[in-house]
Amino acid sequence: NESAEISLKDIDQLASNSFPLCMRHLFDKLREDHHLKHGGRIQLNLFLKGVGLKLDDALAFWKEEFSKKVGAERFDKEYAYSIRHNYGKEGKRTDYTPFACQKIISSTPSVGDHHGCPYRHFSEENLRAALNKMGVGGRQQDEVMDKVRNRHYQLACTLTFEAIHGTSCDTGINHPNQYFSNSQKIRQE
Ligand code: SF4
């Protein structure tokens, strides 16, 4: 599912145009809090690797935010390793695969965590607010909430995708990186 390289200067625009809600939420929280806990760092970092952010750019991206909170030195000491590790550059040099929806949906975020799938893990109130922010309101939003109530989280995400892009997504959404590449395909048409 690896696509073309993306450039760090485009990342905010790509996030608002083409990230699924799970990644959008992590991205916004990182920009806001200058910090993410372990589960959020892995979920977002592997996704970014999958969309084509190079390791050097990933390190610069995480460092820019974490430096504002813990300082550059502590970032280099405590956090850079696991960023490189996700990219397969440390330890056993495993090339870790970005998480699919099923894995994200079945994760168990605790208080203060921001990973997981918002359709599964947000309260109704927070999910509705997030959907409003993405421009999905009214009847479209109610249809999304219907799927959520029936525990069809990926269908809820698919409906959101269709509402945002104004086109059908017949394959459905099963992977955040698939959401991203489908979105980019449509945006570039
Ligand atoms: Fe992310 Fe998948 Fe949940 Fe959509 S259904 S928000 S892509 S985990």
Side-chain angles (χ1 to χ4, degrees):
N1 220 341
E2 306 255 329
S3 38
E5 274 176 16
I6 64 162
S7 157
L8 194 51
K9 67 175 172 29
D10 300 326
I11 199 164
D12 288 272
Q13 210 196 342
L14 288 169
S16 69
N17 280 343
S18 293
F19 282 17
L21 185 50
C22 54
M23 300 304 171
R24 184 67 221 241
H25 178 60
L26 286 169
F27 187 86
D28 288 348
K29 278 293 162 193
L30 177 63
R31 285 281 196 234
E32 206 178 299
D33 298 344
H34 318 300
H35 190 271
L36 280 179
K37 291 192 175 189
H38 182 69
R41 293 201 302 273
I42 296 189
Q43 184 176 307
L44 181 59
N45 194 42
L46 290 179
F47 170 78
L48 292 174
K49 180 175 88 164
V51 306
L53 191 67
K54 284 179 300 173
L55 175 59
D56 285 347
D57 283 345
L59 283 167
F61 168 70
W62 289 99
K63 187 169 182 169
E64 183 196 349
E65 291 304 330
F66 269 66
S67 295
K68 294 176 193 161
K69 183 94 170 191
V70 303
E73 213 175 300
R74 230 184 109 193
F75 174 84
D76 288 339
K77 253 198 231 151
E78 290 176 32
Y79 298 95
Y81 178 90
S82 67
I83 306 296
R84 287 196 303 268
H85 192 266
N86 293 160
Y87 272 73
K89 301 294 183 209
E90 297 283 1
K92 283 188 283 180
R93 294 178 180 261
T94 312
D95 199 6
Y96 294 97
T97 316
F99 296 163
C101 293
Q102 246 178 347
K103 183 173 173 123
I104 294 173
I105 289 169
S106 61
S107 67
T108 51
S110 311
V111 177
D113 279 330
H114 295 292
H115 65 279
C117 171
Y119 301 97
R120 166 74 180 83
H121 296 114
F122 275 18
S123 68
E124 173 165 353
E125 193 189 348
N126 286 348
L127 182 54
R128 283 191 184 274
L131 290 168
N132 282 333
K133 221 172 118 188
M134 291 174 107
V136 180
R139 194 149 59 96
Q140 287 180 323
Q141 185 179 111
D142 291 337
E143 283 169 9
V144 171
M145 298 311 296
D146 245 23
K147 297 291 180 207
V148 168
R149 260 189 299 278
N150 291 310
R151 298 172 178 265
H152 296 310
Y153 308 115
Q154 289 171 229
L155 286 179
C157 189
T158 305
L159 285 185
T160 305
F161 181 99
E162 293 181 338
I164 290 174
H165 296 83
T167 176
S168 70
C169 174
D170 299 332
T171 53
I173 298 298
N174 56 54
H175 198 295
N177 289 90
Q178 172 227 350
Y179 184 111
F180 178 83
S181 53
N182 284 13
S183 172
Q184 282 293 289
K185 230 178 275 162
I186 292 165
R187 303 274 188 221
Q188 283 158 10
E189 265 167 15

